Amino acid sequence: MMDLYGFLFQRVLYPGLQSGLKRRPTLDHLRELERTQWCSLDELEALQERELGRLLAHVFQNIPYLRERYRAAGLEVGDVHHLDDLRRLPLLTRDEAREHFAERRSVAPPFATIDKSTSGTTGRPLAFAYDFGSEYWRQATKLRGYGWAGYQLGDPSIHYWGSPSLEPPPFGRRLKETVDHSFRREHYVDCTERSPEALDRVVERIRAVKPKVIVCYAQAGAALARHVNATGCRDWSDINVICAAERLFQSDRSAMMSAFGPGVFETYGNREVMLIAAECEAHAGLHQSMENLIVEVVVRDGDRQRLAEPGELGEVAITDLHNYGAPFVRYLTGDLAVAHANERCACGRWLSRLESIEGRSTETLRDAQGNPVSGMFFSVLMAYLADKVREFQVIQRRDNAIDLRLVPVGKLDDSLLQAIKDHIGKYVPGVPLRSEVVSELLPDRTGKRRVVVVEN
Ligand SMILES: [Zn+2]
């Protein structure tokens, strides 16, 4: 049940906080999304086709770069009616999105007025932009997805993550954000420091705030959960946890379930389009944000491409249906996911699902012959060793050598370490392997700690 403050916040304070222009579309869209999530698959796909038609009409008219590209592929505006026709449009790679950013901006309204970039830990930064119409859909989509995890506007929440930007925001904006956050009862806690003392301070914040939901970077939440479990300091009833930004491993989910309760929800998104998919209360894969995005799991084989079969791994391609300012059409995010069969979920929703997110394609290692080896292999291995290895990180250097860093539980004996190395050697043959036992793994400057890093 929502408390009185939560009720007032939703009905009175939140609408009052936002300008009339901003609040209305977001809350209207949210209401619409709460209705359409119960639509049949046919209805949802019809909705996508309608929005796709509108978007492509705009693209052919106002985005000269994409128009020329599509024409070169032999396509005109009327050629894409159905979702199946979408496959005829060329994919937009990350490199291409970066190189042709200026030419991908609309030459007519709505213009892209919100400019952002992603840092890209191993690659070069990618600049992108979108218009305000898209922003409202993004906010509404996020609110619906978080709603599946029991979060509603006005609920007390802790956001345990890193600073999204290294530059402090200008004072005026910072003040506004602080005011916004405190009205919304959103409490931001930096996750970059992971010493026992820092984790104790987070526990104190949890006791003080009594959050309904903790939103966290998956790896940060897992480190916190392990600290809670190890010190036995849990004295709260169940708190739902929404994991974002980093991959959620099964062993991390289990640790969080002991520390906070059974409601652990994985979400998948990126800065370019925000929430792509989110887990519902049935915890059976992640529902796609179908009304805002077309999500494809694509298998490329040379020049040919097809959609992944259920259970098959492929590359995630996104078409953002509401970003007219600088459109993403069939944009390859760089992430790998496993496709799910199109069937009704136990929760009753038909919204298509992703079975799992397998991380970034930059997490794919290469053996000495150049054959790909999924970084997933390490998470499976380490889940198996969970009672002996607390944390790990795998870095494949440019010269192919692999550095394995381990944080053991207690003391790691030499024979076990040798067994781990032998095992890895079988999966990534011919590659030099170095191991290092450390007491702590540090997150990068944005507060994320990547489990598998491939330098390129
Ligand atoms: Zn569901």
Side-chain angles (χ1 to χ4, degrees), residues 149 206 211-212 214 221 225 228-229 234-243 248 252-265 279 283:
I206 292 172
K212 187 155 176 215
I214 296 173
V228 169
N229 296 336
R234 175 175 175 178
D235 57 3
W236 46 80
S237 53
D238 292 347
I239 302 170
N240 282 359
V241 180
I242 299 175
C243 299
L248 177 62
D252 294 341
R253 186 191 286 263
S254 307
M256 284 189 253
M257 287 170 77
S258 325
F260 302 110
V264 177
F265 295 80
E279 205 171 306
H283 303 285

Side-chain angles (χ1 to χ4, degrees), residues 280 282 287 345-349 353:
C280 69
H287 286 289
C345 178
C347 72
R349 296 179 186 88
R353 278 174 281 170

